[in-house]
Amino acid sequence: MILQNFIVFEGIDGAGTSTQIERLKARPDAKKFFFTTEPTDGPTGKFLRSMLKGDVHLDPRTAAYLFAADRAEHLWGKSAPNGGIVSKCEQGKIVVSDRYLFSSLTYQSVTCGDSLPRMLNEPFPLPQLLFFFEVDPEISLKRVLGRGETEIYEKIDFQKATAQRYRAVINEYDGSPKGEGMKIVRIDASQSIDTVAEIIAREIEFLTERTERTETKNTSP
C-alpha cells in the first residue's frame, strides 16, 4: 500500500536529511507540509532516544519491537493534533518524515538479523516519495562528530555496515513489485546543501502543485 502525500528522507547518520528538512521548513509554502521524525516525540519515541544516547541498554530484539510500536502510533495514533500521519495525509497535508521503516530494516537488521524487522514492519504503508541520501561513511561521521554529541550507532564500523545494508534494503524496493507505486530518488549527499535542496525541490513540485489545486477548489464559491 502506498500512502499518498507521504515523503520520507532516509540515509545513514550525518547524510544530511535533517539539514534538508530544515530547508523545506524555510520555504514560503511551508504551511503545506507537516514535518515529523522517528523516533517520535511520543512516550515510546522518547524512551528510544534515551537508548540511542546510551542511557538505556536494550536487547536489539526489544529495540526492534519498540521502533515498530513507535511507528504504529506515528501512523495511526490519536493523541497528536489531527491524528497521526495517515490522518494528516488524508486531510491533504504533505507529510515529511525524517526516517521511517527503511531505517528499521537497516539498523535493526544489522543488530538482530533480517527476520524480525521484516515481520514487524510488513504491515506499514510505503511513502509516495522516498529520498535516499547516499554518502561515504567517512564523510558522514565527520559531520556527526562536528555536532559534538554522538549516539550509540555513530561509530565508523557500524556506519560502514549500515551504509552497505541501506543500499541493499533500498535495492529491494527500487524497480521491483515490492516497491510498486513508490518513487525512489537517490541523492549523492556529498554534494553541496544547495544542490541537494534543488533536487528535492524539483521532485516535490508535483505534490505542492496538487495541494495548491486542492486548496483553490475547496475555497472556490
Side-chain angles (χ1 to χ4, degrees), residues 108-161:
Q108 271 67 67
S109 69
V110 172
T111 58
C112 68
D114 293 343
S115 299
L116 183 59
R118 286 178 185 273
M119 182 271 289
L120 292 172
N121 288 279
E122 194 276 334
F124 300 136
L126 296 176
Q128 184 176 5
L129 181 57
L130 168 63
F131 290 104
F132 176 46
F133 288 55
E134 298 184 272
V135 66
D136 188 301
E138 299 280 357
I139 295 174
S140 67
L141 190 58
K142 285 181 180 178
R143 294 174 178 174
V144 169
L145 294 175
R147 301 173 190 159
E149 183 177 334
T150 59
E151 295 181 341
I152 58 172
Y153 295 147
E154 295 169 341
K155 298 177 176 62
I156 190 59
D157 290 344
F158 193 89
Q159 287 281 76
K160 288 179 177 179

Side-chain angles (χ1 to χ4, degrees), residues 7-12 14-21 23-24 96-98 129-137 139-140 143 163 166-167 170-171 174 183-204:
I7 301 174
V8 170
F9 285 23
E10 291 277 5
I12 61 174
T17 58
S18 299
T19 298
Q20 291 302 324
I21 286 178
R23 280 295 189 96
L24 287 178
V96 181
S97 182
D98 190 355
L129 181 57
L130 168 63
F131 290 104
F132 176 46
F133 288 55
E134 298 184 272
V135 66
D136 188 301
I139 295 174
S140 67
R143 294 174 178 174
Y166 242 133
R167 287 192 294 271
I170 299 303
N171 286 342
D174 199 358
K183 183 174 183 179
I184 298 175
V185 179
R186 295 173 181 261
I187 293 178
D188 176 1
S190 65
Q191 300 177 97
S192 71
I193 292 173
D194 287 343
T195 299
V196 173
E198 289 171 4
I199 295 169
I200 292 169
R202 287 198 301 269
E203 294 293 340
I204 67 173

Side-chain angles (χ1 to χ4, degrees), residues 55-123:
D55 297 336
V56 178
H57 300 283
L58 299 175
D59 182 274
R61 291 163 293 189
T62 304
Y65 277 102
L66 288 172
F67 274 106
D70 188 47
R71 183 162 299 123
E73 190 66 17
H74 199 196
L75 284 163
W76 298 297
K78 303 298 183 183
S79 58
N82 304 316
I85 288 174
V86 172
S87 178
K88 287 180 172 62
C89 288
E90 290 173 349
Q91 292 165 18
K93 281 285 186 181
I94 301 171
V95 177
V96 181
S97 182
D98 190 355
R99 297 193 180 284
Y100 186 52
L101 64 85
F102 310 97
S103 289
S104 285
L105 295 177
T106 299
Y107 285 84
Q108 271 67 67
S109 69
V110 172
T111 58
C112 68
D114 293 343
S115 299
L116 183 59
R118 286 178 185 273
M119 182 271 289
L120 292 172
N121 288 279
E122 194 276 334

Side-chain angles (χ1 to χ4, degrees), residues 192-221:
S192 71
I193 292 173
D194 287 343
T195 299
V196 173
E198 289 171 4
I199 295 169
I200 292 169
R202 287 198 301 269
E203 294 293 340
I204 67 173
E205 186 175 1
F206 78 100
L207 280 176
T208 56
E209 288 179 348
R210 186 174 67 189
T211 302
E212 287 176 1
R213 290 195 298 270
T214 301
E215 288 176 345
T216 301
K217 181 179 179 180
N218 290 340
T219 56
S220 296

